């Protein structure tokens, strides 16, 4: 039996809302003990810099160093350093006690169909600033081997869900939504289901100037436009069998233009719910439970619409003692330890890679 170690996981999602930092004790296998979590918000200036980098990256045929993207990488890395410091202070733990930091970075473009995925973040600088070895670039090896490079959380979902009734599913509602199916025999199937909060956030910013629809209040006040909803659902992605993954930029709010702010919010929220229902058609059997993590679990309107569309009751993971805000960051701490041990982080059923494979690049503080 391997002795568990302390590891930090860092996550900055496609919603560009901030950095999540989690400290766990784990052996990268069956032992998982969450210890502390800190969520830090980006400033408006930081968010603008990262949004511009994402916009530029999506216009390029392949990753390339541009001044705006280099600036974004520096801003991002400094923000992650600050998150690590805040996490260590909250936990009362010294940096020297940490075995590794799992640094996801920021996805600025995800194009597995073209053979690449791009996460910015300076692992060498983060290692130097924290004095802790950093495991980063978790997705590239999988994509190079023919996989989708996403989603990567299923191995952590399976560890958390050990002992729960199966078949079951874990739905992560971030900027993009993804689902992990755990079969009765432990089989893992995972894929992106469609936009979750990303389109709604974009709509809110354009229509009202708000960053997101707090508690789904605006959507609750609107009416779903079925014609626009059908247009949004008329996309080949939803009929494509898994494995499959998305970039947040693969869908836009354009079909909803012309709707009132409330009707647009309602329609885009219904779109997220409908795509979850579509995803269930691709599973080998119907899950008995649907656990929900990510920011979308705080949106009662979204959860109600998902319940209506799927005929399942979405259960926020917090009811199980999981911190639904921390799961993704915890997952990258867990995967960092697995990477150091050479254990798989992606599987044929989760990313479509031909055989289970590890991933991640290790950077020591002196590198």
């Amino acid at each position: 039996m391997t002795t568990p170690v302390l590891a930090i996981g860092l996550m900055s999602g496609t919603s560009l809302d901030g950095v999540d930092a989690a400290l766990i004790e784990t052996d990268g296998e069956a032992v998982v003990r969450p210890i502390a979590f800190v969520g830090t918000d980006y400033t408006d200036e930081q968010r603008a810099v990262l949004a511009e980098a994402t916009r530029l990256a999506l216009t390029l045929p392949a990753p390339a160093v541009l001044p705006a993207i280099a600036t974004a990488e520096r801003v991002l890395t400094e923000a992650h350093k600050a998150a690590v410091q805040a996490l260590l202070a909250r936990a009362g733990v010294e940096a020297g006690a940490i075995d590794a930091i799992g640094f996801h970075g920021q996805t600025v473009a995800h194009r597995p169909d073209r053979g690449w995925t791009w996460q910015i973040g300076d692992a060498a600088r983060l290692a130097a600033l924290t004095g802790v070895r950093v495991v980063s670039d978790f997705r590239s090896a999988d994509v190079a081997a023919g996989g989708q490079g996403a989603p990567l959380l299923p191995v952590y979902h399976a560890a958390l869900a050990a002992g729960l009734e199966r078949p079951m599913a874990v739905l992560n509602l971030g900027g993009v939504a993804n689902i992990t199916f755990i079969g009765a025999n432990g089989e893992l199937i995972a894929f992106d289901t469609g936009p979750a909060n990303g389109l709604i956030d974009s709509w809110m910013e354009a229509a009202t100037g708000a960053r997101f629809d707090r508690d789904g209040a605006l959507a609750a006040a609107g009416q779903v436009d079925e014609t626009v909803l059908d247009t949004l659902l008329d996309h080949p992605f939803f009929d494509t069998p898994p494995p499959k993954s998305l970039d947040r930029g693969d869908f836009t709010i354009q079909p909803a233009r012309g709707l009132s702010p409330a009707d647009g919010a309602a329609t885009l929220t219904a779109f997220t719910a409908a795509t979850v229902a579509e995803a269930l058609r691709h599973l080998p059997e119907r899950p008995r439970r649907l656990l929900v993590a990510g920011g979308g679990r705080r949106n009662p309107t979204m959860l109600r619409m998902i319940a209506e569309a799927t005929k399942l009751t979405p259960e926020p993971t917090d009811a199980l003692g999981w911190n639904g805000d921390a799961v993704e960051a915890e997952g990258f701490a867990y995967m960092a330890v697995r990477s150091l041990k050479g254990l798989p982080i992606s599987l044929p059923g989760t990313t479509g890679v031909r055989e289970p494979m590890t991933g991640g690049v290790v950077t020591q503080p002196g590198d």
Side-chain angles (χ1 to χ4, degrees):
M1 180 180 293
T2 306
T3 303
V5 298
L6 295 179
I8 288 173
L10 302 171
M11 181 65 190
S12 177
T14 55
S15 294
L16 299 179
D17 49 359
V19 180
D20 291 336
L23 173 64
I24 67 172
E25 182 179 43
T26 184
D27 63 354
E29 298 180 69
V31 176
V32 176
R33 186 172 72 90
I35 297 172
F37 170 75
V38 169
T40 59
D41 293 336
Y42 288 129
T43 65
D44 290 342
E45 292 77 10
Q46 289 172 324
R47 190 176 297 110
V49 168
L50 295 174
E52 176 62 11
T54 299
R55 186 195 68 78
L56 282 174
L58 289 172
T59 68
L60 300 175
V65 178
L66 297 176
I69 294 175
T71 297
E73 186 165 67
R74 287 194 297 272
V75 167
L76 180 87
T77 305
E78 290 293 330
H80 280 68
K81 176 207 71 172
V84 170
Q85 292 173 333
L87 178 67
L88 292 174
R90 174 164 295 181
V93 174
E94 297 292 331
I98 306 301
D99 191 65
I101 294 173
F103 180 31
H104 174 265
Q106 180 69 53
T107 297
V108 291
H110 181 63
R111 292 289 182 247
D113 54 317
R114 303 177 190 175
W116 56 273
T117 184
W118 190 3
Q119 288 76 45
I120 62 172
D122 189 337
R125 178 152 178 76
L126 185 63
L129 290 171
T130 61
V132 181
R133 64 178 167 179
V134 171
V135 184
S136 63
D137 196 12
F138 289 92
R139 303 185 189 274
S140 293
D142 182 90
V143 172
Q148 290 287 307
L152 292 181
L153 267 290
V155 290
Y156 185 59
H157 290 157
L160 286 177
L164 296 180
E165 182 183 22
R166 301 171 179 175
M168 61 165 294
V170 180
L171 176 67
N172 180 61
L173 295 172
V176 170
N178 55 70
I179 195 167
T180 298
F181 172 81
I182 306 174
N185 61 355
E187 174 191 17
L188 285 182
I189 296 174
F191 52 96
D192 287 347
T193 64
N197 304 310
L199 284 188
I200 302 166
D201 292 350
S202 295
W203 175 262
M204 292 298 294
E205 186 172 5
T208 72
R211 280 185 43 219
F212 60 97
D213 185 10
R214 186 177 298 277
D215 298 325
L218 189 62
Q223 296 292 321
V224 175
D225 187 303
E226 297 294 341
T227 300
V228 172
L229 179 58
D230 288 343
T231 299
L232 288 163
L233 288 168
D234 186 22
H235 191 288
F237 177 82
F238 301 114
D239 289 326
T240 302
K244 54 184 178 178
S245 62
L246 286 171
D247 186 281
R248 176 175 168 169
D250 288 342
F251 290 85
T252 75
I253 62 174
Q254 193 59 38
R257 296 284 189 187
L259 298 182
S260 71
D263 289 354
T267 302
L268 293 171
T269 304
F271 178 45
T272 291
T275 61
V276 174
E278 286 290 311
L280 296 184
R281 296 192 300 107
H282 293 295
L283 301 179
E285 56 184 323
R286 185 174 174 80
R288 296 179 182 178
R289 301 181 72 175
L290 182 64
L291 307 182
V292 184
R297 80 192 193 287
R298 299 187 184 279
N299 183 330
T301 305
M302 182 179 289
L303 295 188
R304 174 178 58 79
M305 288 184 175
I306 289 173
E308 292 170 353
T310 64
K311 310 305 181 197
L312 290 169
T313 301
E315 302 174 59
T317 54
D318 309 73
L320 297 174
W322 306 5
N323 183 337
D325 291 325
V327 169
E328 282 195 282
E330 290 173 1
F332 281 98
Y334 181 77
M335 282 184 278
V337 175
R338 289 183 70 83
S339 178
L340 291 170
K341 296 173 71 172
L343 295 172
I345 64 171
S346 58
L347 308 165
T350 62
T351 68
V353 73
R354 290 184 179 179
E355 57 186 27
M357 65 179 298
T358 192
V361 174
V362 180
T363 304
Q364 301 289 348
D367 291 352

